[in-house]
Amino acid sequence: MILYGALLAVVVACMVALSMCDKPVEAPDSKASGGDTLDIAIEYSPVTYYTYDDTLGGYNYDLLRLISSKEGCPMKFHPVVTLEKALAGLDEGRYDVVVAQFPMTAGDTARFAFTEPIYIDQQVLVQRRGSYAIHSQLDLAGDTVWVVQGSPMKQRIASLSREIGDTIYVHVDELYGPEQLMMMVSAGEIRYAVVNRSIARAMGTRLPNLDRSVAISLSQFQSWMVAKERQSLCDSLNRWHRQVKLDTAVYLNLQRRYFGGTFPTLAR
């Protein structure tokens, strides 16, 4: 068992290293493309946007390309790993849209304009399986969880601390995305991370020693973000998304491909 554990740690460490090598470099764009082109900052994750050999994919990426094709709207994709940089680029006008695992909360609507829900997700605790795994949010009291910088998950953990009447410490990681945090948990480098269930599920086959059964939040809407003052762009994205949904077969096949099934009609 000791040898098995050591080999598993080596394998996971190699996965982390390879993941860092394969990641697209975050674009150092200093200005927007201009014209009719929409600059899309898109988070590198198994659900949103990924590369495999020469293939690009991801639910949001494929959905946006479908919209671009149907509406004749040119889009330029800027892969990002850190959410904070994407949001900064949106504030500075370098990006028109940010597409990331960013649950819509009441507080964030004061800063950004959100599209109608694209899909529904939930925040979950990622931990290693075994006798030391916890089974309740209450068991997090006095422990530390890791989250991605810029994510509202930090606020959710703060709310959870108040709900259980004890402190849950939060480490905000400035370098990595949720995929890398899960690999660090799998390798035993950190104990807990909070990520979206869709990412945890997508990584499940690659990291079978992880448990994702403890929910941290209720189900939450996942939307795309634009600058607060660009409501007309937000309205256009909503209209284009509704048009794509009218092609029921294509739309439902896209959901099945990335989520293993279809989700209910999203109404606000």
Side-chain angles (χ1 to χ4, degrees), residues 9-209:
V10 171
V11 170
V12 172
C14 291
M15 289 173 63
V16 174
L18 289 173
S19 175
M20 292 297 97
C21 293
D22 292 341
K23 291 266 182 291
V25 178
E26 294 185 330
D29 305 296
S30 59
K31 60 182 180 180
S33 298
D36 296 330
T37 300
L38 289 182
D39 287 291
I40 312 289
I42 188 164
E43 181 185 51
Y44 191 96
S45 82
V47 175
T48 303
Y49 173 88
Y50 66 85
T51 61
Y52 181 76
D53 291 335
D54 295 327
T55 303
L56 298 178
Y59 180 75
N60 286 285
Y61 175 75
D62 286 350
L63 181 57
L64 283 164
R65 281 179 57 85
L66 191 59
I67 289 174
S68 177
S69 175
K70 285 182 174 292
E71 300 298 332
C73 176
M75 298 180 181
K76 181 178 180 181
F77 293 92
H78 305 266
V80 295
V81 175
T82 54
L83 178 60
E84 190 71 14
K85 289 184 179 180
L87 298 179
L90 186 64
D91 287 336
E92 295 164 5
R94 289 184 286 114
Y95 304 133
D96 299 298
V97 185
V98 168
V99 178
Q101 298 272 315
F102 193 101
M104 183 174 62
T105 63
D108 294 311
T109 55
R111 180 181 176 189
F112 306 110
F114 288 84
T115 64
E116 294 174 357
I118 306 301
Y119 61 95
I120 297 175
D121 214 332
Q122 185 181 32
Q123 298 166 15
V124 297
L125 182 76
V126 174
Q127 60 181 327
R128 298 179 74 179
R129 300 181 187 275
S131 58
Y132 295 101
I134 66 170
H135 304 286
S136 168
Q137 297 173 350
L138 296 172
D139 297 329
L140 284 174
D143 261 314
T144 300
V145 300
W146 288 51
V147 301
V148 175
Q149 185 175 21
S151 169
M153 294 177 186
K154 180 180 179 180
Q155 287 79 9
R156 173 56 196 149
I157 299 300
S159 297
L160 182 58
S161 292
R162 292 191 293 270
E163 291 168 12
I164 68 175
D166 207 332
T167 301
I168 303 174
Y169 300 97
V170 179
H171 179 93
V172 179
D173 192 276
E174 301 179 357
L175 298 178
Y176 299 135
E179 183 179 356
Q180 291 73 42
L181 292 188
M182 288 187 63
M183 291 180 176
M184 291 168 68
V185 174
S186 181
E189 296 178 25
I190 60 176
R191 190 170 182 181
Y192 303 118
V194 176
V195 304
N196 276 14
R197 184 181 294 279
S198 59
I199 291 182
R201 177 181 174 275
M203 293 286 289
T205 55
R206 295 174 59 188
L207 303 172
N209 66 326

